[in-house]
Amino acid sequence: MIPEKPYIIEFSQIGNPEIGYLSVAEPSGFVPFEIRRVYWSYYTPHHITRGRHAHHKLEQVLVAVSGIVTVTVEQVRGVSKDFVLNQPNLGLYLPPKTWHVMEFSHNGVLMSLASMEYDESDYIRDYEQFFEMTE
Ligand code: T46
């Protein structure tokens, strides 16, 4: 069953302050779909916002592996909500049909674990079209 709402996933942190930490996403773990693609975005100036779209079918978990990324989400007929990804062990689950906008700190690197391969026809890039959608 596909989760209905965006939510924060707290990945385990393996390690300690002396040696540092690692976190892992694996099939038996917290990601509620089979990962079919991983991509990451970086060097986005602070005054630029990325995203500004939703997906018809894609599910994702976004992780700010460096820096801080603020993700503003809105669901069909919903209100917008900010999630601040400021620790590399936090993930934000995004269900399909979630409008999302990302703002990066200067050192922000955003990794996405995605449920499908890239398909431009899965994007809803027109906010009016998103707004008119039914759930
Ligand atoms: C999303 C947010 C969180 C590819 O060719 N292959 C890919 O796998 C991806 C993700 C993108 N592209 C191309 C499509 C565009 O020509 O890369 C270009 C930039 O993509 P976009 O403008 O969609 O980038 P963002 O940062 O606004 O959005 C990305 C993902 O595309 C999107 O699925 O949910 O990150």
Side-chain angles (χ1 to χ4, degrees), residues 37-42 44 49-55 58 60 62 71 94 98 100-102 104 110-112 114 116-120 122-123 125:
R37 177 168 53 114
V38 178
Y39 66 86
W40 50 101
S41 39
Y42 45 92
T44 296
T49 51
R50 301 186 67 119
R52 298 197 175 282
H53 58 248
H55 289 278
L58 186 73
Q60 302 189 83
L62 305 182
V71 188
L94 292 182
T98 305
H100 52 283
V101 179
M102 300 90 71
F104 289 62
L110 186 68
M111 179 180 73
S112 171
M116 291 166 40
E117 291 182 25
Y118 174 70
D119 176 5
E120 184 59 37
D122 186 62
Y123 284 72
R125 293 191 183 273

Side-chain angles (χ1 to χ4, degrees), residues 56-76:
H56 288 285
K57 292 188 180 155
L58 186 73
E59 295 172 81
Q60 302 189 83
V61 172
L62 305 182
V63 179
V65 290
S66 167
I68 301 172
V69 179
T70 303
V71 188
T72 303
V73 304
E74 184 181 331
Q75 293 193 278
V76 176

Side-chain angles (χ1 to χ4, degrees), residues 15-36:
N16 61 58
E18 278 76 44
I19 61 163
Y21 297 92
L22 74 79
S23 297
V24 58
E26 55 193 344
S28 58
F30 302 110
V31 177
F33 53 79
E34 187 185 340
I35 298 165
R36 302 290 302 276

